[in-house]
Amino acid sequence: MQLTIIVPTFNEAPNVAELVTRTAAAVQGVDAELLFVDDSTDDTPDRVRAAAETAPLPVRVVHREHAEGGLGGAVLEGLGLASADVCIVMDGDLQHPPETIPALLERHGEGDVDVVVASRYRSGGSSGGLADQRRVWVSRLSTLLTKAMFPIRLRDVSDPMTGFFLVDRRALNVAALRPRGYKILLEILARKTLRAAEVPFVFDDRHGGYSKATFRQGMHFLAQLWQLRFGKMSVFAVIGGLGAIANVGIVWALTALGVNYVVAAIIAAEATIIGNFLLIERFVFQDMRAEASNVWWRFAKSFTFNNAELVVRIPVMAFMVSTWNFTAVLATAVTLALAFIVRFVFHSLVVYAPRTQGKPSPARQFLDELDEQAVRPGEL
Ligand code: GDD
Ligand code: MN
């Protein structure tokens, strides 16, 4: 089998027959199958089975009892069940014209990309079928925001929000994908650097039925964007912030008990360093522990780094204040921010480094690691 066309459906009964007919016509001569991944409460699956009987290509439907992950979950499930490695994902309401499929295949056939995006924003494409002016603006703004967040990974993609694309599943790390709502392509493109190209398409009016996009989907999208960009790093930051609060609290409690403030500060710093390590072990780098060196060695590296940071940060601050005339507050803020980034990179690169690896240049490693780690799944 050369191609699987995955169609996620939620109550698309009035569109099924037409979709099967037009898709079959569009892929004549290609060894292709149609795979519906369905979460409907109407009779969409029956309509698919009826259409399958007369269709000139194999048509399957998988009906899911629990609609895990909604649209994105359905697409992932489809990628797992597909007979072919090359898959095209297409909506079930004919807003994505099946007649664009040959252009997607042809572009992929050039052999230099893993993903081909059908874009509304390339010349020759259009987003005419978006329900109203408000959706046009929402779509434009969210596209801009998304591209700003991933300027490098989305360099070649003008429409990361489209639901119409070709992907070679061999290029994906499916286990790392977290389907949340609608934007599965964004998830695919942001998690890993893939080679992508685009072809234009005209986003049509819905054939029948009604749109399932909601305000809630919009909120899902913002949460997804945040977690994609700052996933691991934001959990790391939250834990760091909690540590700072705990630090102050411990100093306060100990001095209130009459402990000398220098001793109190040392105890508080070491206690937070240990607490921090335990929390990031559990909540930030849990997926890297198995490959990394043993826990005591990890602790030794983390502990040494944090103490060194403590020692180095104060003179650096002093230097900023005396030489660059920074105010004390600004110097504190700048050194804390720098320390945060260096700490994050050090932990992902050194503390949780896989036990053996062939090494590219350290500078390259630093950048790759920062980029890879920051987008890893890291929900709280
Ligand atoms: N299996 C499954 N489960 N399918 C779903 C679900 C779900 O929970 N929710 C929606 N779908 C299916 C619909 O049946 C349809 O085939 C497709 O996903 C898109 O849903 P629509 O309700 O038609 O959404 P839209 O037209 O507003 O959104 C489309 O355009 C956006 C671009 O503006 C989608 O293609 C989006 O992915 C795309 O971003
Ligand atoms: Mn639609």
Side-chain angles (χ1 to χ4, degrees), residues 180-200:
R180 277 171 300 241
Y182 267 40
K183 304 303 174 192
I184 186 67
L185 175 63
L186 172 61
E187 187 81 18
I188 288 172
L189 292 174
R191 289 276 185 217
K192 192 173 164 213
T193 308
L194 295 170
R195 302 169 303 162
E198 286 190 324
V199 299

Side-chain angles (χ1 to χ4, degrees), residues 8-10 12 37-39 70-71 74 91-93 95-96 120 130 135 161-163 182-183 203 206 210-213:
T9 45
F10 182 77
E12 301 291 359
V37 187
D38 181 71
D39 296 322
L71 171 52
D91 284 355
D93 58 0
Q95 289 197 281
H96 297 158
R120 297 163 285 181
L130 279 179
R135 283 235 23 204
M161 323 297 253
T162 184
Y182 267 40
K183 304 303 174 192
F203 190 69
R206 225 173 202 283
Y210 61 93
S211 171
K212 287 86 192 176

Side-chain angles (χ1 to χ4, degrees), residues 22-41:
R22 279 174 58 184
T23 305
V27 297
Q28 259 177 35
V30 181
D31 185 13
E33 66 164 345
L34 247 173
L35 172 58
F36 287 83
V37 187
D38 181 71
D39 296 322
S40 297
T41 51

Side-chain angles (χ1 to χ4, degrees), residues 40-361:
S40 297
T41 51
D42 70 359
D43 63 342
T44 300
D46 295 331
R47 302 280 189 108
V48 176
R49 282 186 278 265
E53 283 176 16
T54 55
L57 80 175
V59 178
R60 287 195 277 157
V61 57
V62 181
H63 180 75
R64 308 194 304 162
E65 279 313 315
H66 312 283
E68 292 99 358
L71 171 52
V75 170
L76 272 197
E77 193 140 347
L79 286 172
L81 295 168
S83 309
D85 286 320
V86 177
C87 297
I88 286 180
V89 179
M90 182 174 87
D91 284 355
D93 58 0
L94 291 165
Q95 289 197 281
H96 297 158
E99 292 73 25
T100 303
I101 292 174
L104 287 167
L105 281 176
E106 195 180 321
R107 183 61 192 84
H108 179 249
E110 290 177 26
D112 56 340
V113 291
D114 312 305
V115 179
V116 186
V117 174
S119 166
R120 297 163 285 181
Y121 302 123
R122 284 276 143 152
S123 74
S126 121
S127 55
L130 279 179
D132 51 40
Q133 208 49 34
R134 194 179 56 92
R135 283 235 23 204
V136 172
W137 278 106
V138 169
S139 175
R140 286 231 175 96
L141 285 177
S142 50
T143 301
L144 261 181
L145 181 66
T146 308
K147 286 193 50 104
M149 293 274 193
F150 295 97
I152 297 171
R153 286 193 181 163
L154 298 182
R155 191 174 37 203
D156 302 321
V157 179
S158 63
D159 195 357
M161 323 297 253
T162 184
F164 194 12
F165 56 94
L166 176 153
V167 62
D168 184 333
R169 70 175 170 191
R170 285 165 297 192
L172 298 181
N173 176 8
V174 178
L177 299 175
R178 294 285 181 282
R180 277 171 300 241
Y182 267 40
K183 304 303 174 192
I184 186 67
L185 175 63
L186 172 61
E187 187 81 18
I188 288 172
L189 292 174
R191 289 276 185 217
K192 192 173 164 213
T193 308
L194 295 170
R195 302 169 303 162
E198 286 190 324
V199 299
F201 88 103
V202 175
F203 190 69
D204 244 324
D205 290 328
R206 225 173 202 283
H207 178 71
Y210 61 93
S211 171
K212 287 86 192 176
T214 54
F215 181 71
R216 233 180 113 219
Q217 289 294 345
M219 293 295 104
H220 268 298
F221 158 69
L222 289 179
Q224 177 190 20
L225 198 57
W226 177 267
Q227 284 173 349
L228 270 175
R229 184 68 280 187
F230 306 112
K232 234 181 177 108
M233 230 191 203
S234 64
V235 184
F236 192 78
V238 167
I239 291 173
L242 288 176
I245 296 170
N247 201 329
V248 174
I250 295 171
V251 172
W252 174 80
L254 289 178
T255 47
L257 289 172
V259 179
N260 171 284
Y261 78 95
V262 177
V263 177
I266 291 172
I267 294 175
E270 300 309 330
T272 25
I273 285 171
I274 294 168
N276 193 278
F277 176 75
L278 294 175
L279 289 172
I280 61 173
E281 276 272 300
R282 168 78 181 74
F283 293 112
V284 184
F285 296 107
Q286 69 278 23
D287 55 338
M288 293 166 79
R289 285 187 312 217
E291 308 259 298
S293 51
N294 76 58
V295 63
W296 293 109
W297 185 225
R298 295 199 294 272
F299 176 70
K301 289 190 274 190
S302 177
F303 189 77
T304 311
F305 176 87
N306 284 308
N307 278 287
E309 180 205 302
L310 219 58
V311 174
V312 170
R313 203 163 56 79
I314 309 299
V316 170
M317 261 175 65
F319 177 84
M320 285 176 167
V321 173
S322 61
T323 321
W324 296 342
N325 292 324
F326 279 30
T327 63
V329 174
L330 182 62
T332 310
V334 170
T335 52
L336 280 177
L338 277 177
F340 169 75
I341 293 174
V342 176
R343 197 187 313 142
F344 182 75
V345 172
F346 182 85
H347 278 81
S348 34
L349 188 66
V350 180
V351 178
Y352 293 91
R355 275 182 297 263
T356 47
Q357 57 179 24
K359 286 189 172 142
S361 87

